[in-house]
């Protein structure tokens, strides 16, 4: 009886050790993760004036948009990871600001901002909560810029519909976030990203406008460890 009890204890101890090893390996070096969630991008705009012959103080503001986000990450070591954020284009409204504040929507623009991060994840690989910080590069790709009748009325009254283009830019991004493990495979994630983005609008009238967007993105999602 005693031998059987000792054997059972050894089997249980071995099983526990294997379970602990599995939990650690699920979040340690060599692990891939995928996450889906929702991401809200809110520009914090510092707009320059549209160049002459526009009225002095002709500025613009940019509204927020929320879209799904897909993220892949690879644990290079137990604490260092590489992450790629992907998604669908965000559609932002441009509205009047400065001396033309209250004039309404000037147009819309879509932007696709894929971002690559190098991250440092705190605590041990098998910790339930793992805060992290990251630094990376964002490529802001603008498309489908569309001007409104209000834009034409401001820049070329009585003329042809005014169109415009936004300049694609590479920008630095900083990130802070945390994961919360439900079990060995599934986890929740929340992250905040600040991107330092300046760009330029070029209008069909020949006028230009420098604009600092500096968006803050807030995402929440559910992930799976491979």
């Amino acid at each position: 009886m005693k031998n059987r009890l000792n054997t059972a204890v050894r089997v249980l101890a071995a099983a526990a050790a294997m379970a602990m090893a599995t939990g650690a390996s699920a979040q340690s070096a060599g692990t891939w993760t995928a996450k889906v969630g929702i991401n809200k991008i809110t520009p914090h705009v510092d707009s320059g004036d549209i160049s002459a012959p526009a009225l002095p103080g002709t500025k613009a503001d940019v509204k927020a948009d929320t879209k799904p986000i897909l993220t892949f990450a690879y644990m290079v070591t137990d604490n260092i990871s590489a992450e790629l954020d992907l998604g669908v284009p965000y559609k932002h409204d441009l509205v009047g600001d400065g001396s033309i504040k209250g004039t309404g929507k000037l147009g819309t623009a879509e932007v696709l901002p894929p971002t690559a991060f190098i991250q440092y994840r705190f605590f041990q690989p098998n910790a339930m909560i793992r805060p992290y910080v990251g630094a990376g590069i964002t490529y802001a790709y603008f498309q489908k810029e569309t001007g409104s009748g209000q834009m034409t009325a401001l820049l070329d009254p009585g003329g042809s519909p005014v169109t415009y283009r936004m300049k694609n830019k590479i920008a630095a991004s900083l990130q802070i976030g945390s994961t919360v493990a439900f079990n060995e495979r599934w986890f929740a994630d929340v992250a905040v990203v600040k991107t330092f983005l300046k760009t330029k609008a070029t209008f069909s009238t020949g006028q230009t406008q420098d604009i600092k967007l500096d968006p803050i993105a807030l995402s929440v999602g559910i992930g799976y460890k491979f």
Side-chain angles (χ1 to χ4, degrees):
M1 181 73 176
K2 184 176 180 180
N3 290 337
R4 289 180 180 179
L5 181 60
N6 289 339
T7 301
V9 170
R10 286 196 295 269
V11 170
L12 290 174
M18 290 175 64
M20 292 177 62
T22 302
S25 65
Q27 303 182 50
S28 56
T31 300
W32 284 92
T33 65
K35 180 186 72 175
V36 293
I38 296 295
N39 189 46
K40 181 178 182 179
I41 294 181
T42 304
H44 289 256
V45 178
D46 183 5
S47 169
D49 294 352
I50 295 179
S51 61
L55 293 172
T58 303
K59 300 180 183 295
D61 195 9
V62 181
K63 298 302 183 180
D65 191 26
T66 302
K67 287 290 189 293
I69 188 172
L70 175 63
T71 300
F72 297 98
Y74 177 74
M75 294 298 300
V76 181
T77 71
D78 286 351
N79 296 98
I80 297 175
S81 57
E83 181 178 278
L84 178 63
D85 294 351
L86 302 171
V88 298
Y90 295 80
K91 187 175 183 179
H92 297 277
D93 289 340
L94 282 70
V95 298
D97 203 6
S99 63
I100 60 168
K101 189 171 185 177
T103 57
K105 187 166 74 172
L106 301 179
T108 59
E110 292 186 2
V111 60
L112 187 62
T115 303
F117 288 105
I118 295 297
Q119 303 164 319
Y120 183 83
R121 297 179 181 263
F122 297 90
F123 306 150
Q124 296 300 312
N126 58 354
M128 185 179 74
I129 298 176
R130 296 197 75 184
Y132 60 86
V133 294
I137 297 294
T138 296
Y139 181 67
Y141 177 78
F142 295 93
Q143 63 182 22
K144 297 184 180 179
E145 299 95 325
T146 303
S148 68
Q150 186 62 33
M151 179 181 287
T152 299
L154 287 168
L155 299 184
D156 192 13
S160 300
V162 173
T163 60
Y164 74 104
R165 290 288 298 170
M166 301 291 292
K167 187 176 181 180
N168 301 331
K169 297 286 286 189
I170 295 175
S173 293
L174 298 177
Q175 178 190 51
I176 184 170
S178 182
T179 60
V180 179
F182 299 134
N183 52 42
E184 293 176 6
R185 297 293 182 183
W186 292 95
F187 64 92
D189 182 281
V190 60
V192 178
V193 175
K194 172 71 172 182
T195 300
F196 302 91
L197 175 61
K198 295 181 181 179
T199 186
K200 176 180 285 189
T202 301
F203 300 90
S204 57
T205 56
Q207 294 159 282
T208 62
Q209 182 178 32
D210 292 320
I211 186 166
K212 182 192 295 184
L213 297 172
D214 283 3
I216 291 179
L218 172 63
S219 68
V220 292
I222 299 295
Y224 183 80
K225 304 179 184 71
F226 295 92

